Amino acid sequence: ISTRHDEQNIYVEFQDTGIGISDQHLERIFDPFFTTKAVKSNKDSEGPAGSGLGLHVCSQLMKHYGAKISVKSKPGAGSTFTLTVPK
């Protein structure tokens, strides 16, 4: 996590060294109900599950403050999410 600012904005960057996000998924990650994780059909299902609402809700909440979330990612090299908040 890193922060910086300029005359107009505050930037908070969240960077990881994970598997990254493919281009085909990158353009949709803020869409409601979009997920690459399996959806659990019952409580006995194994593995991760996702509703596809997490990033969508975050981006909608930030709009209320005039802020935005953006992402840069490279498959195999991780991702950087940037929260831009107006001063």
Side-chain angles (χ1 to χ4, degrees):
I1 299 173
S2 63
T3 60
R4 59 187 169 84
H5 66 92
D6 58 25
E7 294 296 320
Q8 295 149 359
N9 297 302
I10 298 167
Y11 305 93
V12 182
E13 293 183 341
F14 304 86
Q15 185 174 18
D16 69 29
T17 56
I19 62 170
I21 304 167
S22 70
D23 288 341
Q24 73 182 49
H25 294 144
L26 197 58
E27 61 190 41
R28 298 191 57 210
I29 63 170
F30 294 106
D31 291 352
F33 304 108
F34 177 76
T35 183
T36 59
K37 297 177 183 176
V39 177
K40 288 187 180 184
S41 58
N42 63 53
K43 66 180 180 178
D44 297 325
S45 296
E46 298 276 335
S51 65
L53 290 174
L55 287 172
H56 173 71
V57 168
C58 288
S59 66
Q60 295 302 304
L61 287 170
M62 292 299 97
K63 283 183 183 180
H64 176 75
Y65 298 101
K68 66 178 185 173
I69 301 173
S70 60
V71 62
K72 292 182 181 177
S73 187
K74 183 177 178 184
S79 303
T80 301
F81 286 82
T82 303
L83 175 59
T84 303
V85 183
K87 285 184 175 178

